[in-house]
Amino acid sequence: MTLRSTLDFLLYDWLDAKALTARTRFSDHSRDTFDAVLDTCERIAREKYAPFNRTVDIEEPHFDGEKVTLPQCTHDAQKAYAASGMLSAAQDYDIGGMQLPYTVEAAANSFFAVASISMGSGLLTVGNANLLMVHGTEAQKTVFALNEFSGRFSGTMCLSEPQAGSSLSDVATRAVPDGEGFESDPLGPRYRLKGNKMWISAGEHELTENIIHLVLAKIPGPDGKLVPGTKGISLFIVPKKLVDTDGKLTGVRNDVALAGLNHKLGWRGTTNTLLNFGEGKYPVDGEAGAVGYLVGQPGKGLHCMFHMMNEARIGIGMAATMLGLAGYYASLDYAKNRPQGRPVQGPKDGAAAVVKDVAQPQVRIIEHADVKRMLLAQKSYGEGALALNLFCARLVDEQATGDSAAADEARLLLEVLTPIAKSWPSEWCLEANSLAIQIHGGYGYTRDFPVEQYWRDNRLNMIHEGTHGIQAMDLLGRKVLMEGGRGLQLLAGRINATIERAIQVPALAAHANALGAALQQVGAATKAAWATGQPADALANAVPYMQAFGHMVLAWVWLDVALVTLAADAQLARPASVGRMGAMRFFFHYELPKIGAWLQVVSARDATCAAFPEEAF
């Protein structure tokens, strides 16, 4: 099976993406237009991305003190991607978009991610522009967002700071009004920012005319002090180069300076930067301080930024998924072609142990049961994660174009599933990459084969856009409790609906019962975790809870996929159908039973970790 055939099944057979064309927003589309988009992206990824995946890993970004240099292939890929229209794929026709469903957009972008994740395909630029389309003024949309959608400008998100890391409460970047009349600037209330931002992906390069930074900063109170916590955080547009009200460059460089590049384990093709805002290297009108334009209301910056953060989290989940699948495809090809070992035979001639007939020819390693185990694990993780992420993309379309009840349900389901969509692929598709290396044996550990790079690239994703611990606390500490637990109830309703259908199918009845038991275990553990009402008790084992919750969700996804597989191919006459059913069985037999160990410590509110004394380490 290829990625394209897997996408076609998930999009059209499982998610019924074609049904979206009955909605007004997508009425000009058909399966033919969807397929044309997939064809185009598959071709560009094959021609402009895949051949250069190793190039961008070796030829890392170089900073000479003035500018950052990237390989020519990265410039060519960025131009091809922008020319394809994918940066504005989901936008309205009247601003140059395609009004494409996000479900199809996400599927199309997967080709770029599997080809070369660190060359980039506009994830942050699109997220930046989408945020401005929701929270920006008309001028901000026209000047900044539309130029990002066209590929003329690119975008970043600037949250973390060297001293604060993920703790946004400790953001220390300051924003003060920029002189008299600051509030009447046509691009938004104008401020001067001073501070430092760390881990900024694509924070400096020459790929586009301009870079639009979205920066979290605090406006000091009347006493000149910053407001503690997150309530005082505001959001600002800080362009690398200043522009006029028509979006034309004024020739003035903003006071944003690259302090240095971070040298990463993976994703080496993407610049990752430490940026200094307002240090005076590029004074504007003779004054230090980066010019920034307020987005939304003062003190409401985090609310705005979450629009981009949630979008980025689903995007990172998809990135992790595609790296897992890239490793799977590489190790599958290797296993089919690598001869090593011989079939195991039973004891004979009084021997007490199994023997191998060395006179027999070697077999390909895919014929060994343990190699099949590792391949099935990769397949179940990667294709299951792909299904989950596309399901979440379908919920985005439902939230945007469904009736009020369906849209509200999609909103709540997305709230609950977003931590899983980001974290589960980041953990288990990384494990898939590890298994891909194992299948290659010693060769997998060398740079002669691509799987070591896939592992390095994927290791970032457990940290990217919120660590495992952050996602787990969001899930158990907020998402399953919000609105009286209604989101969790909606998810349970969806899972139970699948169980009720599957229990009627003899081949799936046992799996349906196993999923039902898992759902009950997760529900009971949720209540037990919060039995004392103390967050410290509940959240001490938030990560095991999230791991169990994620496995339950993936089991549900696989069971639902299996139902559609059997409906389309009851006799399992097609190898692809056999493959999906085998991956489903593997997940239920080898993976779902793991949730018992995870939930045991959750339900007991085990304090082994939380209570461990520092001096005992």
Side-chain angles (χ1 to χ4, degrees), residues 25 78-79 81-92 94-98 105 121-134 140-155 208 210 212 307 311:
R25 180 167 183 80
Q78 193 276 335
K79 288 178 182 177
Y81 186 80
S84 74
M86 286 302 294
L87 286 165
S88 58
Q91 300 305 310
D92 295 346
D94 60 8
I95 64 168
M98 299 187 220
E105 179 188 359
S121 55
L123 171 66
L124 291 178
T125 295
V126 172
N128 180 308
N130 284 343
L131 181 153
L132 293 177
M133 293 301 290
V134 174
Q140 290 170 347
K141 294 175 188 178
T142 301
V143 172
F144 299 111
L146 297 195
N147 279 308
E148 289 182 89
F149 285 135
S150 73
R152 184 174 164 232
F153 297 169
S154 59
T208 54
N210 206 355
I212 310 305
H307 184 101
E311 190 171 319

Side-chain angles (χ1 to χ4, degrees), residues 25-106:
R25 180 167 183 80
F26 309 126
S27 59
D28 289 341
H29 288 292
S30 64
R31 175 162 180 175
D32 288 341
T33 63
F34 293 164
D35 282 346
V37 171
L38 296 175
D39 289 342
T40 298
C41 291
E42 188 175 18
R43 177 183 57 78
I44 295 172
R46 182 175 63 250
E47 295 174 357
K48 300 293 186 180
Y49 285 71
F52 308 104
N53 188 47
R54 181 61 82 181
T55 301
V56 298
D57 186 63
I58 296 171
E59 298 180 23
E60 294 186 65
H62 173 69
F63 179 44
D64 63 6
E66 292 297 325
K67 68 177 183 178
V68 170
T69 301
L70 292 165
Q72 182 60 42
C73 60
T74 303
H75 290 260
D76 296 341
Q78 193 276 335
K79 288 178 182 177
Y81 186 80
S84 74
M86 286 302 294
L87 286 165
S88 58
Q91 300 305 310
D92 295 346
Y93 292 134
D94 60 8
I95 64 168
M98 299 187 220
Q99 291 189 193
L100 198 69
Y102 181 60
T103 310
V104 179
E105 179 188 359

